Amino acid sequence: MSRRTVADPIAQQFGAAVRKARGQRGETLDQVSHRIARMDAKYLGEIERGWHAPSIPTAKRIADALEMTLADLTEGL
C-alpha cells in the first residue's frame, strides 16, 4: 500500500485531539503507546499527524490509554 500524499482532514482532527490530550497529561508518545496493545510510538505519532485513520477499536484503545472516553476524545470532530 502506498503512503498518503495528503493527510485526511478527519484523521488530522482526531490526531490533533490525541496530541492535545497527551500534552495535557504531560506524556510522551512512548509513555502513551506503551499502554496500547500492538502500538508503537512511531505509529501513534503518525496518527497524531493525520497520516493514519485508526479503526474504532484502535481509537478506543488510544482513548483508554489517555484515561478518557472515546466520546470525549472525538467531541467536536
Side-chain angles (χ1 to χ4, degrees):
M1 176 186 283
S2 62
R3 183 179 171 106
R4 294 176 191 239
T5 56
V6 177
D8 177 80
I10 299 297
Q12 285 180 312
Q13 290 175 4
F14 178 78
V18 171
R19 183 180 302 116
K20 179 180 177 184
R22 182 176 59 79
Q24 288 173 339
R25 293 173 56 87
E27 293 184 307
T28 66
L29 286 167
D30 278 328
Q31 290 170 319
V32 175
S33 67
H34 277 85
R35 293 194 301 269
I36 304 169
R38 298 177 307 279
M39 174 88 52
D40 63 22
K42 181 178 183 280
Y43 186 70
L44 183 57
E46 289 173 352
I47 288 172
E48 285 189 358
R49 289 187 299 280
W51 290 114
H52 296 287
S55 66
I56 291 172
T58 298
K60 171 76 168 85
R61 287 196 297 273
I62 292 169
D64 289 347
L66 294 168
E67 296 181 342
M68 60 192 315
T69 67
L70 182 55
D72 287 341
L73 185 58
T74 60
E75 185 177 0
L77 297 185

